[in-house]
Amino acid sequence: MRVCNACFRPFPLDLFPKDRNRPLGKGYTCKQCNRARASAWAKTPRGRELSRKAQNVYRATEHGRAATKRNANKPENRARAKARRTAWRATVSGQRSEFSSWLRLSYGMTIEDWARLYEHQKGACAACQHSLTFDRYTHVDHSHATGAVRGLLCQWCNNTLGYSKEDPSRLRGVLD
């Protein structure tokens, strides 16, 4: 028997967590008090931060990757993750982050680069000079051969370039 240092109640030794640094190989607070203390600490900002870091370290191990993959494939977890993603994408910061990631991965540019290009073109399409809006109908024009960004286009000009396969002779043939 041992008395818990937190709740001051006597418990058998098997209700205390293992601690090889202690004389009897058991901690001084009971498992129930340890759980309550850990739960309270995990709700603090520092506790949440360290918990996320520990989770990332665990996921980096082979065992952690396998467990994460197993749990991610469970239907209830997939549904919960999808709901979280959907809710996050609806926020302004979620939309900005998603747009930022798409620009960086697709064209190697930042939102600031995109905004400078928009300002330089005075908010108009680089081809037809119609005004552009910040939505899915504004496209980043780029060379498919080199990947270099040429400007911002409206959807119709972007489609025209795509259908002509960026071949000037095809475009001239359509006009003649």
Side-chain angles (χ1 to χ4, degrees):
M1 295 289 279
R2 176 178 272 179
V3 176
C4 173
N5 280 356
C7 64
F8 304 108
R9 294 189 319 216
F11 292 106
L13 272 179
D14 61 329
L15 292 181
F16 288 85
K18 291 180 182 177
D19 188 347
R20 53 185 169 186
N21 295 327
R22 304 287 177 229
L24 297 177
K26 298 288 187 170
Y28 290 121
T29 55
C30 66
K31 289 180 181 179
Q32 186 178 1
C33 291
N34 267 349
R35 236 181 269 118
R37 189 193 64 207
S39 176
W41 182 80
K43 292 175 184 169
T44 66
R46 181 73 176 148
R48 283 193 302 268
E49 177 191 347
L50 291 179
S51 174
R52 264 189 239 110
K53 284 182 180 178
Q55 203 172 38
N56 289 339
V57 168
Y58 171 71
R59 287 180 181 157
T61 65
E62 193 163 332
H63 181 270
R65 281 193 300 272
T68 302
K69 196 172 193 177
R70 257 192 327 272
N71 290 332
N73 289 328
K74 292 181 180 175
E76 62 273 12
N77 292 344
R78 278 200 310 262
R80 196 176 314 120
K82 184 176 181 181
R84 269 197 316 267
R85 273 194 313 273
T86 303
W88 180 75
R89 285 180 177 151
T91 65
V92 173
S93 63
Q95 290 171 357
R96 179 181 167 90
S97 176
E98 199 164 283
F99 182 63
S100 174
S101 296
W102 172 74
L103 282 175
R104 185 175 33 81
L105 292 172
S106 301
Y107 308 108
M109 62 191 300
T110 63
I111 289 181
E112 290 75 21
D113 297 335
W114 189 94
R116 276 194 292 277
L117 200 52
Y118 186 83
E119 291 289 320
H120 178 70
Q121 292 179 205
K122 296 178 178 65
C125 173
C128 69
Q129 301 304 312
H130 282 348
S131 65
L132 295 172
T133 55
F134 181 71
D135 60 12
R136 64 191 178 127
Y137 300 113
T138 300
H139 298 273
V140 177
D141 179 33
H142 64 286
S143 166
H144 288 116
T146 64
V149 174
R150 296 184 289 225
L152 301 176
L153 297 176
C154 64
Q155 180 177 1
W156 298 274
C157 292
N158 189 56
N159 287 345
T160 304
L161 268 178
Y163 289 135
S164 70
K165 298 185 179 164
E166 298 183 11
D167 184 6
S169 63
R170 284 182 185 224
L171 289 170
R172 277 191 227 100
V174 171
L175 293 174
D176 291 337

